[in-house]
Amino acid sequence: MCTAMPLISCPRCGREHTVEAYEEDRFCRACGSLLRVTGGKGGGGEGWRRLFPYEPYPPQVEFIRDIQETAGRGGVLVAEACNGFGKTVSVLSCLLAMGKKVIYGTRTHEQVRQVLLELEKINEKSGESHTAVNLASRGHLCLNPECRDLPRNEAQELCNTLRKDDGCPYASDLDRPPRGLPCILSREALVGEGRRREICPYYLARRMMKESRVVVAPYPYIFNPMIRSTIGLDLEGRVLVLDEGHNVDQVGQEMLSDTLTERGLSAAAEELKLIGKSPRFLERLGRHLLKSDEGRPRLVSAETLQRDLEQAIGLEIDAFIDGHAPFVEAIRAKKTQSGNPPVSYLNGLLGFFDLLQTSVKEKYIGVYTRSYYGAPVIEYRCLDPSLAVAPLVEAASGAIVMSGTLSPLDTFSEIIGLGDAAQRPYPSIQKSKKIGMVVETGVTTSYRERTEEMIARIGDAVAQAVDEVDQGVLLFFTQRGFMNKCLDVWASRGHLVGRGGRLYLGGKQLYREGSDARRNRDVVARYKRMAVGVGGAVLCCVFRGRNSEGSNFPGDQARGIVLVGVPYANYGDPLVKAQIRYYNGLRRGLGNKWYTMDAFRAANQSLGRGIRGSDDWCRYWLLDRRYAENLGLVSRWAQGDGAEMRRGGEPVQQTF
């Protein structure tokens, strides 16, 4: 089996111990002295250089030293650094050199792949064998065709049943790690080893996370306490890294929230009928759901929501849970007997009620609203992301929250309950001379000033920006409807020209992002081909849309990015108002700061589409005077040597 290099030495006799031996017994097996972590070959301090597979830039060295001083000593670092900075390789090189074990949280499979690729390069450079495993869902790792293609909940229920009855051909009980495994167990490696050895890849990953120096896991595995407990993911003794950390507040809130749907109630009622039990309480709840639908969102306090539901069913919540919990196993057994996946919708309803009953009610709100498909639902929403984030950080032995878009760092850190953390923004590692920013102060998309004349002036600024870029340009708008209105006005003013059935802006062919994932993929593929050719192209996008986060436009695909307006959330949305009120209740003015931070975070995310590597560069145009008023909220790496202020296309005597 691939094992980590010995990195822990005895301060008295000098004997080296593996990390595994250190965790079993903190005392030297030769002389009995208390062991200390030294950072292995080369010791602490600059020991990371033997692992770092590139020539480091000064900002990377600064970042690594900050990690050593904070997370390396059990503290917390909130770090903002641009795309292409090398955050992943810096974190891994530093922490592994210090003898740390790491749990690395990611959002997407592409990010998982990148983490493991960087670790491969570290191993190649150092000649060492640092181990890693990718925790992934059953859906990505299951080899059993009976389970593999089922929805997540159904697959989990059937998997548990098959294992209990010895009905799966792939072994899942692994007392000890198999020998001869690759050092880095990616999803593909786990599946390959599972097939070869007739071992379940999902349970192989769970077993190997206890042995591996680096565990790479999707956010739900880290944030959901039930999943953490089920798979045995223990944060104690490990440094927690949350990449793409600008998402952690929203992810934390989502993990601690739940939704009651008419479809789920109907399915649970049918389950009760299946085992001969009366669904009358669920039918009463369904009638309440339909009767409460007003066609628009309606907020109620957590106490009011509980009182509403108890009145609807004619029982107290805890009595309902106690009376219906025994039926869950009977439902699963009946479904298994019939050859169906043993999933229980009643269990999901009980989970909603349990959350309502046990949560800190002043940190939650109930929402009567409609689903994406127009059906009435009740949401029970967590308003405080620190409920999810702070316990994780407290359980870990050091933590790093990092992203390219965390500004303003102080407000973000306070929102997620890490106000005392070290907060560091880092400069771009790209050549700043190639990164330019222009802020146009003579326009705004503020709702009260959003006249046709203002939109025409914005069109003048857009046309000038597009004319200054030879290749691809991304335009970001605050909403799709506003984007279409702008294009109509610009067409009437001559900025947008139709030729041969195609639209052109500033001589560049214009594309609009697709309304669904498939259409958008087609549009983006066509835009990218045209953007890198002679004349370039323009892609119109929406803030917080399909192309504002997670999409890559390297090199000539985006040499210019234009932000049309500031993407403030809809202030009339009751849930937005409730969030502002909640934060203002924690500290005066915090809710208003959150509201502004949320808008500029979305803007910074869009700016980040244009730089994807250390040799990449982009020019930015921010078309709204509110950017000048809040320039400190624009990520430092995007400003180059300072933003140029213009009004009506002419420079003004003010630089930052």
Side-chain angles (χ1 to χ4, degrees):
M1 181 183 134
C2 186
T3 57
M5 297 295 288
L7 294 173
I8 299 165
S9 62
C10 174
R12 178 183 294 176
C13 70
R15 175 173 172 172
E16 290 187 321
H17 297 68
T18 65
V19 172
E20 289 77 10
Y22 173 71
E23 291 186 337
E24 288 176 12
D25 184 356
R26 302 293 174 101
F27 293 89
C28 178
R29 295 181 179 180
C31 69
S33 298
L34 182 66
L35 296 173
R36 61 183 174 87
V37 178
T38 64
K41 299 176 187 176
E46 300 295 297
W48 59 270
R49 290 183 182 272
R50 78 176 194 281
L51 303 182
F52 201 82
Y54 313 104
E55 183 63 33
Y57 295 91
Q60 290 173 327
V61 176
E62 181 186 349
F63 180 39
I64 289 171
R65 288 174 179 165
D66 286 339
I67 295 170
Q68 291 172 331
E69 291 299 313
T70 56
R73 296 185 178 182
V76 183
L77 174 63
V78 178
E80 182 181 63
C82 67
N83 295 319
F85 182 90
K87 295 186 289 292
T88 297
V89 72
S90 298
V91 164
L92 292 177
S93 296
C94 177
L95 294 178
L96 291 173
M98 297 181 75
K100 304 293 183 180
K101 283 193 167 187
V102 179
I103 293 179
Y104 198 110
T106 64
R107 286 281 285 174
T108 67
H109 296 303
E110 175 58 29
Q111 289 164 356
V112 171
R113 191 180 72 86
Q114 188 60 39
V115 174
L116 299 180
L117 281 175
E118 295 290 15
L119 187 56
E120 282 184 9
K121 293 173 184 174
I122 286 172
N123 283 347
E124 289 172 7
K125 161 72 186 311
S126 65
E128 299 179 9
S129 303
H130 298 286
T131 54
V133 63
N134 172 206
L135 294 186
S137 66
R138 284 179 174 85
H140 287 113
L141 294 177
C142 181
L143 297 175
N144 191 328
E146 289 187 63
C147 289
R148 191 170 52 219
D149 299 324
L150 291 174
R152 182 176 60 85
N153 288 343
E154 295 182 16
Q156 180 176 339
E157 300 282 3
L158 181 56
C159 176
N160 291 338
T161 300
L162 291 173
R163 290 177 58 241
K164 187 164 58 179
D165 299 336
D166 293 326
C168 182
Y170 298 96
S172 58
D173 294 325
L174 306 174
D175 294 332
R176 61 184 62 186
R179 294 182 176 276
L181 290 173
C183 289
I184 297 176
L185 289 169
S186 64
R187 204 171 73 193
E188 295 75 16
L190 287 164
V191 169
E193 293 294 324
R195 288 190 190 282
R196 187 165 68 87
R197 301 167 185 262
E198 295 188 338
I199 294 173
C200 173
Y202 175 75
Y203 284 95
L204 176 60
R206 283 173 55 169
R207 179 64 183 82
M208 295 311 298
M209 75 179 175
K210 299 175 183 177
E211 315 293 329
S212 299
R213 295 288 304 283
V214 180
V215 176
V216 188
Y219 271 5
Y221 277 59
I222 295 171
F223 279 91
N224 191 311
M226 186 173 295
I227 295 178
R228 279 204 317 275
S229 175
T230 299
I231 67 174
L233 182 60
D234 189 2
L235 299 173
E236 185 178 0
R238 291 183 183 262
V239 176
L240 174 64
V241 179
L242 296 175
D243 204 351
E244 295 299 312
H246 59 275
N247 290 297
V248 300
D249 54 343
Q250 296 163 358
V251 171
Q253 287 174 288
E254 288 168 7
M255 290 296 167
L256 296 182
S257 302
D258 204 352
T259 302
L260 184 64
T261 68
E262 184 185 20
R263 179 177 176 273
L265 282 175
S266 299
E270 291 301 316
E271 290 177 344
L272 289 175
K273 293 177 185 177
L274 185 66
I275 61 170
K277 301 297 180 182
S278 171
R280 64 184 184 279
F281 295 112
L282 275 64
E283 290 169 350
R284 291 174 188 170
L285 200 54
R287 287 194 292 271
H288 169 73
L289 192 57
L290 292 170
K291 185 176 66 175
S292 303
D293 181 21
E294 298 181 358
R296 56 184 175 80
R298 178 168 64 90
L299 304 186
V300 296
S301 68
E303 292 83 357
T304 299
L305 179 59
Q306 181 165 339
R307 188 166 60 248
D308 285 353
L309 299 184
E310 289 180 337
Q311 288 177 352
I313 60 179
L315 279 178
E316 292 185 354
I317 295 294
D318 54 359
F320 179 91
I321 294 173
D322 291 343
H324 287 76
F327 300 152
V328 172
E329 285 306 316
I331 290 167
R332 288 172 173 164
K334 188 73 172 179
K335 288 188 173 183
T336 300
Q337 193 177 24
S338 304
N340 295 313
V343 65
S344 170
Y345 290 92
L346 177 62
N347 194 47
L349 172 60
L350 295 178
F352 180 92
F353 277 160
D354 184 62
L355 176 63
L356 178 60
Q357 182 85 330
T358 60
S359 58
V360 183
K361 288 188 170 54
E362 60 265 27
K363 297 179 180 292
Y364 277 78
I365 194 140
V367 189
Y368 287 93
T369 185
R370 288 182 174 180
S371 70
Y372 176 80
Y373 300 102
V377 300
I378 299 174
E379 296 180 356
Y380 190 51
R381 298 286 304 172
C382 175
L383 296 174
D384 193 338
S386 71
L387 292 178
V389 179
L392 295 176
V393 171
E394 290 168 5
S397 298
I400 302 167
V401 181
M402 61 186 193
S403 171
T405 52
L406 299 179
S407 295
L409 290 175
D410 56 348
T411 302
F412 174 79
S413 299
E414 185 175 2
I415 289 296
I416 63 174
L418 302 179
D420 295 332
Q423 301 159 22
R424 304 282 191 272
Y426 297 94
S428 171
I429 62 172
Q430 289 80 14
K431 296 176 182 177
S432 61
K433 296 297 182 186
K434 287 192 173 184
I435 298 175
M437 177 175 288
V438 171
V439 180
E440 174 56 62
T441 64
V443 298
T444 182
T445 63
S446 174
Y447 189 75
R448 293 178 181 175
E449 300 179 66
R450 200 180 289 180
T451 63
E452 185 168 315
E453 184 56 37
M454 178 63 75
I455 292 174
R457 284 160 59 188
I458 293 172
D460 294 339
V462 168
Q464 181 177 346
V466 169
D467 188 57
E468 293 183 31
V469 179
D470 292 331
Q471 291 83 29
V473 181
L474 305 180
L475 300 185
F476 284 94
F477 297 82
T478 52
Q479 302 101 15
R480 180 173 289 273
F482 179 60
M483 173 179 74
N484 293 333
K485 183 177 181 179
C486 285
L487 295 179
D488 289 342
V489 172
W490 298 347
S492 70
R493 299 297 179 105
H495 291 309
L496 201 60
V497 178
R499 223 173 33 240
R502 296 183 174 89
L503 291 175
Y504 292 83
L505 178 63
K508 293 178 171 58
Q509 189 167 333
L510 182 137
Y511 299 83
R512 279 182 254 201
E513 73 177 16
S515 56
D516 58 43
R518 183 184 60 80
R519 288 190 181 95
N520 189 63
R521 280 195 300 271
D522 293 342
V523 169
V524 169
R526 284 186 277 123
Y527 160 77
K528 287 183 173 182
R529 286 196 296 271
M530 188 64 67
V532 299
V534 176
V538 175
L539 176 63
C540 296
C541 313
V542 178
F543 290 108
R544 299 188 179 89
R546 299 182 184 280
N547 298 306
S548 63
E549 181 176 352
S551 298
N552 294 330
F553 296 89
D556 289 346
Q557 293 176 9
R559 289 302 188 200
I561 292 180
V562 182
L563 306 189
V564 181
V566 183
Y568 283 98
N570 180 7
Y571 197 81
D573 184 333
L575 198 52
V576 171
K577 286 185 175 179
Q579 191 70 73
I580 293 172
R581 280 197 305 270
Y582 175 75
Y583 285 134
N584 280 338
L586 293 181
R587 184 171 66 80
R588 185 177 179 181
L590 182 60
N592 300 319
K593 284 188 174 183
W594 166 81
Y595 183 65
T596 302
M597 178 195 77
D598 180 69
F600 277 77
R601 176 169 54 183
N604 288 327
Q605 273 296 303
S606 297
L607 294 176
R609 300 312 95 210
I611 294 182
R612 309 309 300 175
S614 60
D615 296 325
D616 210 347
W617 58 272
C618 188
R619 297 187 64 195
Y620 303 109
W621 285 264
L622 281 54
L623 307 186
D624 199 301
R625 62 170 171 262
R626 291 173 291 181
Y627 284 111
E629 296 163 1
N630 297 278
L631 196 59
L633 305 185
V634 177
S635 292
R636 178 181 167 189
W637 51 261
Q639 297 186 39
D641 289 334
E644 176 191 350
M645 299 295 152
R646 292 183 186 173
R647 184 176 182 85
E650 296 298 323
V652 297
Q653 296 302 311
Q654 184 181 19
T655 58
F656 293 79

